[in-house]
Amino acid sequence: MTQKKPAVFFDRDGVLNIDHGYVHRREDFAWMPGAIEAVKWCKDNGWLVFVITNQSGVARGFYTEQHVRDLHACMNRELKQHGTAIDAFYYCPHHISGVVEEYCVSCNCRKPGPGMIQQAIEEWPVDAGRSILIGDKASDVAAAQAAGIQGYLFPGGNLLKFVKAIITSQLKVGKCL
Ligand SMILES: O=P(O)(O)OC[C@@H](O)[C@H]1O[C@H](OP(=O)(O)O)[C@@H](O)[C@@H](O)[C@@H]1O
Ligand SMILES: [Mg+2]
Ligand SMILES: [Zn+2]
């Protein structure tokens, strides 16, 4: 049987990168201070790392799913240059008030829905009891709670410092290996 691992579910815009509003091109993408280092530190310490991101810009007609996938591939190319990578990206392209008909649905994957987190847990050997989500909005933390994961609100600043503080404090209470 595959050994289950704890996972860090990172929100994307506002956590891994600066949220300039519906970012979908590399030239508009800026890593959050400490973000690359945070992903690497989590991976080096045996955590699975996922991105869980609402991308209603697709439903709103601002960009396409291909733009989202291309940007995620670009993020992982850059992370690989630092010897690390995100294990999987999950995104929700939907919004009930969008303009692109096929994406105008009320779904379970748009945060605060837990759908993306649940999908990752189904597809990967995730130890949900030891996993955490880091988001920048209350809806991120609500999605984590709905999926039975501990959620934390990132206030900005250095992401590596924030992640280390959370994981180190969990270690002290014996939650993580
Ligand atoms: O990775 P995140 O933070 O889930 O992605 C958020 C962005 O898709 C987008 O979210 C919000 O827009 P909608 O609620 O989806 O209309 C805004 O905060 C935008 O500024 C974000 O870019
Ligand atoms: Mg966000
Ligand atoms: Zn969705």
Side-chain angles (χ1 to χ4, degrees):
M1 202 180 102
T2 316
Q3 179 80 30
K4 288 195 172 186
K5 293 181 176 184
V8 182
F9 295 90
F10 283 109
D11 174 60
R12 199 192 81 184
D13 301 326
V15 174
L16 287 178
N17 58 279
I18 311 292
D19 187 356
H20 293 305
Y22 304 104
V23 171
H24 60 284
R25 292 194 189 94
R26 179 59 189 95
E27 54 266 38
D28 301 320
F29 179 96
W31 289 101
M32 189 66 68
I36 291 174
E37 295 82 357
V39 171
K40 185 168 170 50
W41 188 83
C42 292
K43 290 293 299 171
D44 288 352
N45 283 281
W47 292 65
L48 292 165
V49 172
F50 302 112
V51 166
I52 301 290
T53 179
N54 282 352
Q55 291 301 321
S56 73
V58 175
R60 296 180 193 284
F62 298 157
Y63 49 87
T64 67
E65 284 195 68
Q66 194 57 50
H67 285 104
V68 178
R69 288 194 287 263
D70 287 349
L71 184 56
H72 292 169
C74 186
M75 288 168 70
N76 250 356
R77 273 197 300 279
E78 294 181 22
L79 287 166
K80 279 173 187 165
Q81 288 169 2
H82 293 265
T84 195
I86 286 160
D87 290 299
F89 294 80
Y90 294 88
Y91 64 90
C92 167
H94 308 116
H95 198 282
I96 193 67
S97 311
V99 297
V100 182
E101 201 180 337
E102 63 186 291
Y103 297 110
C104 296
V105 295
S106 173
C107 63
N108 189 42
C109 53
R110 180 173 163 82
K111 296 171 287 183
M116 291 187 278
I117 303 168
Q118 289 169 338
Q119 193 184 341
I121 291 171
E122 279 167 26
E123 293 177 351
W124 291 79
V126 174
D127 181 342
R130 291 188 295 148
S131 296
I132 61 171
L133 177 144
I134 298 175
D136 68 322
K137 291 184 185 160
S139 53
D140 298 319
V141 176
Q145 279 166 354
I149 300 288
Q150 186 72 49
Y152 296 90
L153 213 45
F154 175 59
N158 186 289
L159 186 60
L160 174 64
K161 209 172 149 187
F162 186 72
V163 169
K164 268 187 173 177
I166 291 167
I167 290 180
T168 307
S169 69
Q170 286 207 351
L171 273 170
K172 281 187 190 139
V173 293
K175 272 192 93 178
C176 311
L177 287 178

